[in-house]
Amino acid sequence: MVSSSCIAILTFVHLMFMGTTTAQLSTNFYSKSCPRLFSTVKSTVHTAIRNEPRMGASLLRLHFHDCFVNGCDGSVLLDDTSKFTGEKNAAPNQNSIRGFNVIDNIKSAVENACPGVVSCADILAITARDSVAILGGPSWTVKLGRRDARTASQAAANNSIPPPTSNLNQLISRFNALGLSTNDMVALSGSHTIGQARCTNFRARLYNETNLESSLAQTRQSNCPRTTGSGDNNLAPLDLQSPTAFDNNYYKNLIKNRGLLHSDQQLFLNGGSTDSIVRGYSTSQSTFISDFAAAMIKMGDINLLTGSNGEIRKNCRKPN
């Protein structure tokens, strides 16, 4: 058995290591090496969302699914190679995450402006911020200086991304393991105020759960048959009222038992430990907006590659 003093030393070393990695990020990291970075990214994101408003949610989700699997290192963007099987076809991602072509376009534009300087991991972080802001949500100052992973892991993606079947304790545990508090988890879940979900991810809730408002259940059942394999990829908005506007309707829906995913409704159980946070966000959009931005900055610090670790990919889909 490891002694308590040894555990304390290991914990201290781990915290010191985390501190050194996050400390290397800077809000002005590319101010001299790529001064046109922000305008280049934002214009491309703006065009993508103008062409398809749903794309904003998809680009935000890419950053989430990147950071939750071995840290914010751009690994989610890698195609499979002869040396590794990547994350794109992991269970939480297959036929689900999207927006890779938009990231390709952004990377190409950034490479034209400043070749070999900006990481794909940083592009994901900036793109997530711009997507939220363009859809009416908050903006925040993105810390930069991440480097890209040279490999990816399908197994890690399968094990690291919370599935829509997660219960409240599982959600809290997974976020806490990444250094994100319960409050961070509830705030970040508010990203589901935009975007859509596939029938396969909410079918069981539609037909098996009693804490789903009946009119919503009937509406969703019309496009999501009970039989598995039928209509699996049919889409429904996570927030029926304003699926392309970043607001606090998500939390108002939870109080009315209108959370589409099982994992969404777990945040408000009318007696659950996070009910009060949901109520607070449902009545104060400004509090939600502020907490969401702070949690996004915190999430962007998870298990980083900085300094001489990793690389700056020329093509986000493959290692150099």
Side-chain angles (χ1 to χ4, degrees):
M1 181 178 292
V2 180
S3 70
S4 58
S5 60
C6 182
I7 291 174
I9 292 170
L10 290 172
T11 301
F12 176 75
V13 170
H14 175 66
L15 289 173
M16 287 293 289
F17 175 74
M18 286 181 65
T20 56
T21 55
T22 58
Q24 293 179 48
L25 295 187
S26 166
T27 58
N28 60 357
F29 190 84
Y30 298 110
S31 60
K32 293 182 179 179
S33 59
C34 193
R36 290 160 42 207
L37 171 61
F38 291 123
S39 60
T40 301
V41 173
K42 189 168 186 177
S43 64
T44 309
V45 174
H46 206 285
T47 298
I49 293 176
R50 185 172 62 245
N51 291 338
E52 183 193 1
R54 179 191 171 204
M55 185 55 70
S58 298
L59 294 173
L60 174 60
R61 191 159 175 251
L62 277 179
H63 185 43
F64 269 86
H65 283 224
D66 184 37
C67 291
F68 267 68
V69 183
N70 295 329
C72 310
D73 59 5
S75 59
V76 71
L77 302 173
L78 289 169
D79 291 336
D80 296 349
T81 72
S82 59
K83 295 182 179 180
F84 63 82
T85 302
E87 301 165 20
K88 290 181 178 179
N89 288 313
N93 295 335
Q94 190 174 32
N95 298 320
S96 181
I97 56 171
R98 57 198 292 276
F100 298 109
N101 290 339
V102 176
I103 299 299
D104 290 341
N105 292 339
I106 294 171
K107 178 62 172 173
S108 177
V110 170
E111 284 294 303
N112 286 336
C114 39
V117 171
V118 181
S119 69
C120 299
D122 277 346
I123 285 175
L124 284 178
I126 301 168
T127 299
R129 186 270 309 275
D130 289 350
S131 295
V132 170
I134 290 168
L135 292 175
S139 186
W140 57 90
T141 303
V142 180
K143 294 190 292 184
L144 301 168
R146 301 167 189 81
R147 287 169 67 84
D148 296 322
R150 294 186 174 95
T151 187
S153 171
Q154 185 174 108
N158 281 327
N159 294 326
S160 301
I161 299 170
T165 54
S166 299
N167 64 34
L168 181 58
N169 287 336
Q170 290 169 330
L171 290 169
I172 291 172
S173 177
R174 181 60 194 139
F175 278 72
N176 286 177
L178 295 173
L180 298 167
S181 70
T182 299
N183 205 108
D184 293 330
M185 182 272 289
V186 179
L188 290 171
S189 296
S191 61
H192 284 180
T193 190
I194 54 175
Q196 303 192 51
R198 293 183 300 145
C199 165
T200 188
N201 287 326
F202 58 83
R203 174 184 284 118
R205 174 156 165 74
L206 286 185
Y207 295 99
N208 300 324
E209 298 184 19
T210 57
N211 64 339
L212 176 61
E213 196 259 336
S214 59
S215 65
L216 178 64
Q218 292 173 2
T219 299
R220 294 283 76 90
Q221 286 172 1
S222 66
N223 196 43
C224 184
R226 183 188 294 269
T227 306
T228 301
S230 177
D232 283 1
N233 292 320
N234 291 349
L235 298 171
L238 289 158
D239 169 10
L240 186 61
Q241 290 96 320
S242 50
T244 59
F246 200 95
D247 53 31
N248 67 338
N249 277 333
Y250 169 79
Y251 300 102
K252 295 177 181 179
N253 289 335
L254 296 184
I255 291 173
K256 298 175 182 176
N257 284 337
R258 293 171 68 87
L260 183 62
L261 303 180
H262 174 82
S263 55
D264 287 330
Q265 195 59 55
Q266 285 289 296
L267 303 185
F268 188 85
L269 297 168
N270 206 14
S273 62
T274 56
D275 286 5
S276 61
I277 306 174
V278 171
R279 286 189 190 278
Y281 289 159
S282 73
T283 57
S284 175
Q285 180 159 303
S286 62
T287 302
F288 161 53
I289 290 298
S290 175
D291 286 2
F292 179 85
M296 285 296 293
I297 293 171
K298 194 172 175 182
M299 186 184 76
D301 284 344
I302 295 173
N303 294 342
L304 305 177
L305 296 173
T306 59
S308 60
N309 296 317
E311 64 182 16
I312 303 298
R313 270 184 239 141
K314 298 176 182 177
N315 180 336
C316 288
R317 293 176 179 264
K318 60 184 182 180
N320 291 340

